[in-house]
Coordinates of all heavy atoms in Angstrom, one line a residue:
Chain D
Q198 N -59.6 13.5 82.9 CA -60.7 13.6 83.8 C -60.9 12.4 84.7 O -60.5 11.3 84.3 CB -62.0 13.9 83.0 CG -61.9 15.1 82.2 CD -63.2 15.3 81.3 OE1 -64.0 14.4 81.2 NE2 -63.2 16.4 80.6
P199 N -61.5 12.5 85.9 CA -61.7 11.3 86.7 C -62.3 10.2 86.0 O -62.0 9.0 86.3 CB -62.5 11.9 87.9 CG -62.1 13.3 88.0 CD -61.9 13.8 86.5
G200 N -63.3 10.5 85.2 CA -64.0 9.4 84.5 C -63.1 8.7 83.5 O -63.5 7.6 82.9
D201 N -61.9 9.2 83.2 CA -61.0 8.5 82.3 C -60.3 7.3 83.0 O -59.6 6.5 82.4 CB -59.9 9.4 81.8 CG -60.5 10.5 80.9 OD1 -61.5 10.3 80.3 OD2 -59.9 11.6 80.9
S202 N -60.4 7.2 84.3 CA -59.8 6.1 85.1 C -60.4 4.8 84.6 O -61.6 4.5 84.8 CB -60.0 6.3 86.6 OG -59.3 7.4 87.1
A203 N -59.6 3.9 84.0 CA -60.0 2.7 83.5 C -58.8 1.9 83.0 O -57.7 2.4 83.1 CB -61.0 2.9 82.3
V204 N -59.0 0.7 82.4 CA -58.0 0.0 81.8 C -58.1 0.3 80.3 O -59.1 0.2 79.7 CB -58.0 -1.5 82.0 CG1 -57.0 -2.3 81.2 CG2 -57.9 -1.8 83.5
Y205 N -56.9 0.6 79.7 CA -56.9 0.9 78.2 C -56.1 -0.2 77.5 O -55.0 -0.5 77.9 CB -56.2 2.3 78.0 CG -57.1 3.4 78.5 CD1 -57.2 3.8 79.8 CD2 -57.9 4.2 77.6 CE1 -58.0 4.8 80.3 CE2 -58.7 5.2 78.0 CZ -58.7 5.5 79.4 OH -59.6 6.5 79.8
F206 N -56.8 -0.7 76.4 CA -56.2 -1.7 75.6 C -55.9 -1.1 74.2 O -56.8 -0.5 73.6 CB -57.1 -2.9 75.4 CG -57.3 -3.7 76.7 CD1 -58.4 -3.5 77.5 CD2 -56.4 -4.7 77.0 CE1 -58.6 -4.3 78.6 CE2 -56.6 -5.5 78.2 CZ -57.7 -5.3 79.0
C207 N -54.7 -1.3 73.7 CA -54.5 -1.1 72.3 C -54.6 -2.4 71.6 O -54.5 -3.5 72.1 CB -53.1 -0.4 72.1 SG -51.7 -1.5 72.4
A208 N -55.0 -2.3 70.3 CA -55.2 -3.5 69.5 C -54.8 -3.2 68.1 O -54.8 -2.0 67.6 CB -56.7 -3.9 69.5
A209 N -54.4 -4.2 67.4 CA -53.9 -4.1 66.0 C -54.6 -5.1 65.2 O -55.0 -6.2 65.6 CB -52.4 -4.2 65.9
I210 N -54.7 -4.9 63.9 CA -55.4 -5.8 63.0 C -54.8 -5.7 61.6 O -54.2 -4.7 61.2 CB -56.9 -5.4 62.9 CG1 -57.8 -6.4 62.3 CG2 -57.1 -4.0 62.2 CD1 -59.3 -6.1 62.5
W211 N -54.9 -6.8 60.9 CA -54.5 -6.8 59.5 C -55.2 -8.0 58.8 O -55.5 -9.0 59.4 CB -53.0 -6.9 59.3 CG -52.4 -8.2 59.7 CD1 -52.1 -8.6 60.9 CD2 -52.0 -9.3 58.8 NE1 -51.6 -9.9 60.9 CE2 -51.5 -10.3 59.6 CE3 -52.1 -9.5 57.4 CZ2 -51.0 -11.5 59.1 CZ3 -51.6 -10.7 56.9 CH2 -51.1 -11.7 57.7
G212 N -55.5 -7.7 57.5 CA -56.0 -8.8 56.7 C -57.3 -9.4 57.1 O -58.4 -9.1 56.8
N213 N -57.1 -10.5 58.0 CA -58.2 -11.4 58.3 C -59.1 -10.8 59.4 O -59.9 -11.6 60.0 CB -57.7 -12.7 58.7 CG -56.7 -12.7 59.8 OD1 -56.5 -11.7 60.4 ND2 -56.0 -13.8 60.1
E214 N -59.0 -9.6 59.8 CA -59.9 -9.0 60.7 C -59.9 -9.5 62.1 O -60.9 -9.4 62.9 CB -61.3 -9.0 60.2 CG -61.4 -8.3 58.8 CD -62.9 -8.3 58.3 OE1 -63.8 -8.5 59.1 OE2 -63.0 -8.2 57.1
K215 N -58.8 -10.2 62.5 CA -58.7 -10.6 63.9 C -57.9 -9.6 64.7 O -56.8 -9.3 64.3 CB -58.1 -12.0 64.0 CG -59.0 -13.1 63.4 CD -58.3 -14.5 63.7 CE -57.2 -14.7 62.7 NZ -56.6 -16.1 62.9
L216 N -58.5 -9.1 65.7 CA -57.8 -8.1 66.6 C -56.7 -8.8 67.4 O -57.0 -9.9 68.0 CB -58.7 -7.4 67.5 CG -59.6 -6.3 66.8 CD1 -60.5 -5.7 67.9 CD2 -58.7 -5.2 66.3
T217 N -55.6 -8.2 67.6 CA -54.6 -8.7 68.5 C -54.5 -7.6 69.6 O -54.2 -6.4 69.2 CB -53.2 -8.9 67.9 OG1 -53.4 -9.9 66.8 CG2 -52.2 -9.4 68.9
F218 N -54.7 -7.9 70.8 CA -54.8 -7.0 71.9 C -53.5 -6.9 72.7 O -52.8 -8.0 72.8 CB -55.9 -7.3 72.9 CG -57.3 -6.9 72.4 CD1 -58.0 -7.7 71.6 CD2 -57.8 -5.6 72.7 CE1 -59.3 -7.4 71.2 CE2 -59.0 -5.3 72.2 CZ -59.8 -6.1 71.5
G219 N -53.2 -5.8 73.2 CA -52.1 -5.6 74.2 C -52.7 -6.1 75.6 O -53.9 -6.4 75.7
T220 N -51.8 -6.1 76.6 CA -52.2 -6.6 77.9 C -52.9 -5.5 78.8 O -53.4 -5.8 79.8 CB -51.0 -7.1 78.7 OG1 -50.0 -6.1 78.7 CG2 -50.5 -8.4 78.0
G221 N -52.9 -4.3 78.3 CA -53.7 -3.3 79.0 C -52.8 -2.4 79.9 O -51.8 -2.9 80.4
T222 N -53.3 -1.2 80.1 CA -52.7 -0.2 81.0 C -53.8 0.3 81.9 O -54.7 0.9 81.4 CB -51.9 0.9 80.3 OG1 -50.8 0.4 79.6 CG2 -51.4 1.9 81.4

Side-chain angles (χ1 to χ4, degrees):
Chain D
Q198 299 174 354
D201 295 330
S202 294
V204 176
Y205 289 78
F206 291 97
C207 68
I210 195 169
W211 67 281
N213 57 9
E214 302 180 20
K215 290 186 286 183
L216 283 176
T217 300
F218 283 88
T220 52
T222 297

